[in-house]
mmCIF file of all heavy atoms in Angstrom:
data_model
loop_
_atom_site.group_PDB
_atom_site.id
_atom_site.type_symbol
_atom_site.label_atom_id
_atom_site.label_comp_id
_atom_site.label_asym_id
_atom_site.label_seq_id
_atom_site.Cartn_x
_atom_site.Cartn_y
_atom_site.Cartn_z
ATOM 1 N N VAL V 93 1.497 -23.268 -18.133
ATOM 2 C CA VAL V 93 2.650 -22.416 -18.419
ATOM 3 C C VAL V 93 2.193 -21.294 -19.335
ATOM 4 O O VAL V 93 1.380 -21.513 -20.241
ATOM 5 C CB VAL V 93 3.790 -23.221 -19.081
ATOM 6 C CG1 VAL V 93 4.953 -22.313 -19.464
ATOM 7 C CG2 VAL V 93 4.270 -24.321 -18.143
ATOM 8 N N MET V 94 2.705 -20.103 -19.115
ATOM 9 C CA MET V 94 2.219 -18.928 -19.841
ATOM 10 C C MET V 94 3.360 -17.991 -20.181
ATOM 11 O O MET V 94 4.486 -18.142 -19.687
ATOM 12 C CB MET V 94 1.169 -18.204 -19.003
ATOM 13 C CG MET V 94 1.646 -17.782 -17.630
ATOM 14 S SD MET V 94 0.332 -17.047 -16.634
ATOM 15 C CE MET V 94 -0.750 -18.457 -16.455
ATOM 16 N N ALA V 95 3.059 -17.003 -21.011
ATOM 17 C CA ALA V 95 4.022 -15.952 -21.319
ATOM 18 C C ALA V 95 4.203 -15.062 -20.096
ATOM 19 O O ALA V 95 3.345 -15.013 -19.208
ATOM 20 C CB ALA V 95 3.539 -15.135 -22.512
ATOM 21 N N THR V 96 5.324 -14.357 -20.067
ATOM 22 C CA THR V 96 5.571 -13.468 -18.933
ATOM 23 C C THR V 96 6.330 -12.239 -19.404
ATOM 24 O O THR V 96 7.020 -12.266 -20.432
ATOM 25 C CB THR V 96 6.357 -14.193 -17.823
ATOM 26 O OG1 THR V 96 6.410 -13.375 -16.661
ATOM 27 C CG2 THR V 96 7.761 -14.541 -18.275
ATOM 28 N N ASP V 97 6.161 -11.149 -18.670
ATOM 29 C CA ASP V 97 6.914 -9.924 -18.913
ATOM 30 C C ASP V 97 7.088 -9.226 -17.569
ATOM 31 O O ASP V 97 6.927 -9.850 -16.516
ATOM 32 C CB ASP V 97 6.217 -9.040 -19.957
ATOM 33 C CG ASP V 97 4.779 -8.696 -19.592
ATOM 34 O OD1 ASP V 97 4.417 -8.805 -18.395
ATOM 35 O OD2 ASP V 97 4.003 -8.307 -20.487
ATOM 36 N N THR V 98 7.410 -7.947 -17.590
ATOM 37 C CA THR V 98 7.657 -7.240 -16.330
ATOM 38 C C THR V 98 6.380 -6.787 -15.642
ATOM 39 O O THR V 98 6.427 -6.333 -14.494
ATOM 40 C CB THR V 98 8.551 -6.015 -16.580
ATOM 41 O OG1 THR V 98 7.916 -5.153 -17.531
ATOM 42 C CG2 THR V 98 9.919 -6.441 -17.101
ATOM 43 N N ASN V 99 5.237 -6.891 -16.311
ATOM 44 C CA ASN V 99 3.973 -6.455 -15.725
ATOM 45 C C ASN V 99 3.417 -7.487 -14.750
ATOM 46 O O ASN V 99 3.698 -8.687 -14.882
ATOM 47 C CB ASN V 99 2.929 -6.223 -16.813
ATOM 48 C CG ASN V 99 3.224 -5.009 -17.653
ATOM 49 O OD1 ASN V 99 3.673 -3.988 -17.138
ATOM 50 N ND2 ASN V 99 2.982 -5.100 -18.953
ATOM 51 N N PRO V 100 2.589 -7.072 -13.811
ATOM 52 C CA PRO V 100 1.856 -8.042 -13.004
ATOM 53 C C PRO V 100 0.881 -8.840 -13.864
ATOM 54 O O PRO V 100 0.544 -8.440 -14.986
ATOM 55 C CB PRO V 100 1.086 -7.159 -12.003
ATOM 56 C CG PRO V 100 1.781 -5.854 -12.005
ATOM 57 C CD PRO V 100 2.325 -5.678 -13.385
ATOM 58 N N ALA V 101 0.432 -9.960 -13.342
ATOM 59 C CA ALA V 101 -0.654 -10.718 -13.968
ATOM 60 C C ALA V 101 -1.978 -10.241 -13.366
ATOM 61 O O ALA V 101 -1.998 -9.511 -12.376
ATOM 62 C CB ALA V 101 -0.464 -12.209 -13.724
ATOM 63 N N THR V 102 -3.093 -10.627 -13.987
ATOM 64 C CA THR V 102 -4.405 -10.389 -13.399
ATOM 65 C C THR V 102 -5.182 -11.695 -13.413
ATOM 66 O O THR V 102 -4.950 -12.559 -14.278
ATOM 67 C CB THR V 102 -5.207 -9.303 -14.148
ATOM 68 O OG1 THR V 102 -5.574 -9.791 -15.451
ATOM 69 C CG2 THR V 102 -4.401 -8.029 -14.299
ATOM 70 N N MET V 103 -6.098 -11.870 -12.471
ATOM 71 C CA MET V 103 -6.960 -13.057 -12.410
ATOM 72 C C MET V 103 -8.362 -12.660 -11.976
ATOM 73 O O MET V 103 -8.535 -11.749 -11.162
ATOM 74 C CB MET V 103 -6.393 -14.096 -11.437
ATOM 75 C CG MET V 103 -5.158 -14.819 -11.942
ATOM 76 S SD MET V 103 -4.653 -16.203 -10.875
ATOM 77 C CE MET V 103 -3.666 -15.332 -9.653
ATOM 78 N N CYS V 104 -9.354 -13.328 -12.523
ATOM 79 C CA CYS V 104 -10.748 -13.126 -12.133
ATOM 80 C C CYS V 104 -11.518 -14.401 -12.480
ATOM 81 O O CYS V 104 -11.012 -15.266 -13.206
ATOM 82 C CB CYS V 104 -11.365 -11.913 -12.826
ATOM 83 S SG CYS V 104 -11.265 -11.950 -14.620
ATOM 84 N N SER V 105 -12.745 -14.527 -11.972
ATOM 85 C CA SER V 105 -13.531 -15.738 -12.182
ATOM 86 C C SER V 105 -14.964 -15.395 -12.526
ATOM 87 O O SER V 105 -15.475 -14.332 -12.148
ATOM 88 C CB SER V 105 -13.507 -16.615 -10.925
ATOM 89 O OG SER V 105 -14.360 -17.740 -11.059
ATOM 90 N N ASN V 106 -15.614 -16.302 -13.269
ATOM 91 C CA ASN V 106 -17.051 -16.157 -13.540
ATOM 92 C C ASN V 106 -17.890 -17.012 -12.596
ATOM 93 O O ASN V 106 -19.077 -17.250 -12.853
ATOM 94 C CB ASN V 106 -17.376 -16.462 -15.005
ATOM 95 C CG ASN V 106 -16.838 -17.807 -15.474
ATOM 96 O OD1 ASN V 106 -16.441 -18.640 -14.656
ATOM 97 N ND2 ASN V 106 -16.812 -18.025 -16.782
ATOM 98 N N GLY V 107 -17.288 -17.491 -11.498
ATOM 99 C CA GLY V 107 -18.029 -18.150 -10.430
ATOM 100 C C GLY V 107 -18.646 -19.475 -10.814
ATOM 101 O O GLY V 107 -18.200 -20.157 -11.742
ATOM 102 N N GLU V 108 -19.701 -19.851 -10.119
ATOM 103 C CA GLU V 108 -20.332 -21.151 -10.334
ATOM 104 C C GLU V 108 -20.970 -21.267 -11.718
ATOM 105 O O GLU V 108 -21.066 -22.356 -12.281
ATOM 106 C CB GLU V 108 -21.391 -21.396 -9.255
ATOM 107 C CG GLU V 108 -20.835 -21.575 -7.847
ATOM 108 C CD GLU V 108 -20.026 -22.854 -7.697
ATOM 109 O OE1 GLU V 108 -20.205 -23.778 -8.520
ATOM 110 O OE2 GLU V 108 -19.201 -22.931 -6.764
ATOM 111 N N ALA V 109 -21.429 -20.134 -12.272
ATOM 112 C CA ALA V 109 -22.121 -20.194 -13.564
ATOM 113 C C ALA V 109 -21.196 -20.661 -14.677
ATOM 114 O O ALA V 109 -21.578 -21.472 -15.522
ATOM 115 C CB ALA V 109 -22.714 -18.832 -13.900
ATOM 116 N N GLY V 110 -19.949 -20.136 -14.684
ATOM 117 C CA GLY V 110 -19.007 -20.534 -15.728
ATOM 118 C C GLY V 110 -17.940 -21.490 -15.250
ATOM 119 O O GLY V 110 -17.351 -22.240 -16.029
ATOM 120 N N ASN V 111 -17.632 -21.429 -13.937
ATOM 121 C CA ASN V 111 -16.662 -22.316 -13.312
ATOM 122 C C ASN V 111 -15.282 -22.200 -13.965
ATOM 123 O O ASN V 111 -14.605 -23.202 -14.211
ATOM 124 C CB ASN V 111 -17.145 -23.770 -13.356
ATOM 125 C CG ASN V 111 -16.627 -24.582 -12.165
ATOM 126 O OD1 ASN V 111 -16.413 -24.031 -11.080
ATOM 127 N ND2 ASN V 111 -16.453 -25.871 -12.359
ATOM 128 N N GLN V 112 -14.867 -20.947 -14.213
ATOM 129 C CA GLN V 112 -13.592 -20.707 -14.888
ATOM 130 C C GLN V 112 -12.836 -19.568 -14.211
ATOM 131 O O GLN V 112 -13.412 -18.740 -13.513
ATOM 132 C CB GLN V 112 -13.831 -20.337 -16.358
ATOM 133 C CG GLN V 112 -14.482 -21.429 -17.185
ATOM 134 C CD GLN V 112 -14.953 -20.910 -18.536
ATOM 135 O OE1 GLN V 112 -15.324 -19.741 -18.673
ATOM 136 N NE2 GLN V 112 -14.932 -21.784 -19.545
ATOM 137 N N VAL V 113 -11.523 -19.548 -14.440
ATOM 138 C CA VAL V 113 -10.665 -18.437 -14.043
ATOM 139 C C VAL V 113 -10.002 -17.902 -15.301
ATOM 140 O O VAL V 113 -9.481 -18.670 -16.121
ATOM 141 C CB VAL V 113 -9.589 -18.877 -13.026
ATOM 142 C CG1 VAL V 113 -8.632 -17.724 -12.712
ATOM 143 C CG2 VAL V 113 -10.238 -19.377 -11.746
ATOM 144 N N PHE V 114 -10.032 -16.564 -15.454
ATOM 145 C CA PHE V 114 -9.374 -15.924 -16.592
ATOM 146 C C PHE V 114 -8.120 -15.229 -16.087
ATOM 147 O O PHE V 114 -8.152 -14.495 -15.102
ATOM 148 C CB PHE V 114 -10.321 -14.914 -17.248
ATOM 149 C CG PHE V 114 -9.716 -14.164 -18.403
ATOM 150 C CD1 PHE V 114 -9.237 -14.851 -19.518
ATOM 151 C CD2 PHE V 114 -9.620 -12.778 -18.382
ATOM 152 C CE1 PHE V 114 -8.682 -14.169 -20.585
ATOM 153 C CE2 PHE V 114 -9.075 -12.086 -19.442
ATOM 154 C CZ PHE V 114 -8.597 -12.784 -20.559
ATOM 155 N N ILE V 115 -6.999 -15.470 -16.760
ATOM 156 C CA ILE V 115 -5.702 -14.962 -16.345
ATOM 157 C C ILE V 115 -5.081 -14.188 -17.496
ATOM 158 O O ILE V 115 -5.145 -14.626 -18.649
ATOM 159 C CB ILE V 115 -4.735 -16.114 -15.956
ATOM 160 C CG1 ILE V 115 -5.406 -17.106 -15.012
ATOM 161 C CG2 ILE V 115 -3.449 -15.562 -15.355
ATOM 162 C CD1 ILE V 115 -5.825 -18.402 -15.673
ATOM 163 N N THR V 116 -4.470 -13.035 -17.204
ATOM 164 C CA THR V 116 -3.639 -12.364 -18.196
ATOM 165 C C THR V 116 -2.205 -12.334 -17.690
ATOM 166 O O THR V 116 -1.952 -12.107 -16.503
ATOM 167 C CB THR V 116 -4.108 -10.924 -18.476
ATOM 168 O OG1 THR V 116 -3.949 -10.135 -17.298
ATOM 169 C CG2 THR V 116 -5.550 -10.902 -18.939
ATOM 170 N N SER V 117 -1.265 -12.583 -18.600
ATOM 171 C CA SER V 117 0.157 -12.568 -18.255
ATOM 172 C C SER V 117 0.956 -12.461 -19.544
ATOM 173 O O SER V 117 0.657 -13.156 -20.532
ATOM 174 C CB SER V 117 0.548 -13.849 -17.504
ATOM 175 O OG SER V 117 1.941 -13.884 -17.234
ATOM 176 N N GLY V 118 1.941 -11.590 -19.547
ATOM 177 C CA GLY V 118 2.823 -11.486 -20.700
ATOM 178 C C GLY V 118 2.121 -11.113 -21.988
ATOM 179 O O GLY V 118 2.555 -11.516 -23.074
ATOM 180 N N GLY V 119 1.038 -10.347 -21.902
ATOM 181 C CA GLY V 119 0.322 -9.925 -23.094
ATOM 182 C C GLY V 119 -0.613 -10.967 -23.661
ATOM 183 O O GLY V 119 -1.159 -10.787 -24.759
ATOM 184 N N GLN V 120 -0.859 -12.040 -22.926
ATOM 185 C CA GLN V 120 -1.742 -13.111 -23.379
ATOM 186 C C GLN V 120 -2.846 -13.347 -22.344
ATOM 187 O O GLN V 120 -2.660 -13.082 -21.156
ATOM 188 C CB GLN V 120 -0.961 -14.419 -23.580
ATOM 189 C CG GLN V 120 0.180 -14.320 -24.575
ATOM 190 C CD GLN V 120 -0.312 -14.102 -25.995
ATOM 191 O OE1 GLN V 120 -1.260 -14.751 -26.446
ATOM 192 N NE2 GLN V 120 0.321 -13.168 -26.694
#
Side-chain angles (χ1 to χ4, degrees):
V93 176
M94 57 184 65
T96 189
D97 56 20
T98 58
N99 290 321
T102 68
M103 287 188 275
C104 56
S105 175
N106 53 14
E108 293 293 339
N111 210 30
Q112 297 168 329
V113 175
F114 178 59
I115 312 104
T116 65
S117 176
Q120 302 292 316

